[in-house]
Amino acid sequence: MPLSMKLLVIGSGGREHALVWKLAQSPHVTQLWCAPGNAGIQQERTKQTEKPIECVPIGAEDLPKLLAFAQEKKIGLTVVGPDNPLALGIVDLFQKNRLRIWGPNQKAAQFESSKVFSQRFMEKYGIPTAKAGTFNEPTAAKIFIESLGGKCAVKADGLALGKGVLICANETEANKAIDEILVGKAFGAAGAKIVIQEFLEGMEISLHALCDGKTAKLFPTSQDHKRALDGDRGLNTGGMGTYCPTPFLSETALAETGRKILEPFMRGCAAEGIDFHGILYPGIIITKAGPKVLEFNARFGDPETQVYLPRLENDLVEVLDASVSGTLNKIELKWSPLASVCVVMASGGYPGSYAKGKPIFGLAEAANLPNTKVFHAGTALNDGKIVTNGGRVLGVTAWAKDLKSAQAAAYAAVGRICFEGAHFRHDIAAKALLT
Ligand code: AMP
């Protein structure tokens, strides 16, 4: 890879702030842009050249403008955060124009953009998953529900803003979900097909593996908290907080689980002509019969990235460059022995409707705390003041020698920050501390 280069990061959430923060620490980076970015990203600087990160007002799905910008600035590496541009084929477009870009191409991104594709792939290549069926009409789907005994997950095939999964407690609910998606078109074209999975009982955790087409390197485990309220109550959200590592898989069990998922995954990709460069992020449930994959994502998790990157000791530019080049076998991922915790502070009303533009106080005080980083998600600058601009506003992250201290440090930082209507969960990482 070239010794110095210009970088472009695509996206505007907490994940992208964490990526920008970590990439900006690399001595290889001369200048870094983010499209469209947020108010926190805008405050970062490249470590080597001390250049402020510039946020450019181009949406993450505006592929032609992103391409023109990367060409104009002679970007050496573009890093894609969110799933939508990947599903739209941004990697294929950039590569066709001989631009270096990190992330899976459109065919590989199907692991996230089509649940039917993923489910069939898992079954064909023997990846441990839930008992499932895929359907495009309600009659066969309802017969399958009967065979499952009612309790199940009904999933729209395509991307549905994280809302396409309906957990059903019995046959009546499941039949209603099938009708809503296949007949009522609740998710439009994303719901033209569905996957129905048996309901899996057990602890849910996130895995991440960085892939380069031939090699996959597993990260430590992390755990998201998807429900809005303490005790896993309330509505599903994009993620209210996370921590790393989890105590639910020993190192040996993690390595074994990784092998059971990644070996057939790589074999299947080779057989199907899928060249997967990027992050494979399987959501898994540890059942009595062992870990099973619920779904695949094809990008970094948000907020998982916020707890992974403070622990990663490698230069992220070198790591992502190796993922593009197919040279990951030459890199050993090194993780600090610390634990990290991220608590998401959200706007009042989220995940329902919420107001924007509320001034945020205490960010400077929180920034002074040691081993703490406040990653911004939905924030904007208004008259020089940082204000709320989204549902998930901040990812308040801290790291320490153990999970308990990291949790205390993250909540101490949360305690310094306030904005009207702010809400957050008080039990991030609590499950791990009970064991
Ligand atoms: P997904 O987008 O497929 O990860 O589903 C969203 C959430 O629904 C997951 O994070 C799980 O908490 C839950 N879920 C999905 N599928 C299942 C399943 N088969 N059994 C139990 N819970 C599930």
Side-chain angles (χ1 to χ4, degrees), residues 238-305:
M240 293 299 287
T242 184
Y243 63 95
C244 166
T246 76
F248 306 116
L249 281 182
S250 66
E251 267 188 36
T252 328
L254 174 61
E256 170 72 9
T257 304
R259 250 195 316 279
K260 280 194 184 151
I261 298 171
L262 297 174
E263 280 177 9
F265 176 79
M266 298 308 279
R267 197 172 55 242
C269 281
E272 306 281 331
I274 298 168
D275 192 19
F276 195 104
H277 298 250
I279 288 278
L280 181 74
Y281 152 20
I284 68 168
I285 288 194
I286 307 171
T287 70
K288 284 200 182 107
K292 296 196 174 172
V293 178
L294 290 180
E295 59 151 2
F296 283 127
N297 301 292
R299 35 87 197 167
F300 270 110
D302 186 346
E304 284 87 341
T305 312

Side-chain angles (χ1 to χ4, degrees), residues 115 130-131 152-155 162-167 196-202 204 224 226-227 236 281 283-285 293-297:
K115 289 189 190 288
K131 185 176 167 202
C152 64
V154 179
K155 308 184 175 190
K163 295 188 175 140
V165 175
L166 304 173
I167 303 294
I196 300 174
Q197 286 179 337
E198 65 174 322
F199 185 84
L200 295 176
E201 309 271 359
E204 184 175 357
D224 194 1
K226 291 210 168 113
R227 300 297 196 95
N236 250 330
Y281 152 20
I284 68 168
I285 288 194
V293 178
L294 290 180
E295 59 151 2
F296 283 127
N297 301 292

Side-chain angles (χ1 to χ4, degrees), residues 203-225:
M203 188 64 85
E204 184 175 357
I205 60 170
S206 304
L207 299 184
H208 279 57
L210 184 63
C211 305
D212 73 350
K214 301 181 289 258
T215 304
K217 298 257 177 182
L218 200 57
F219 286 16
T221 57
S222 61
Q223 185 173 49
D224 194 1
H225 295 62

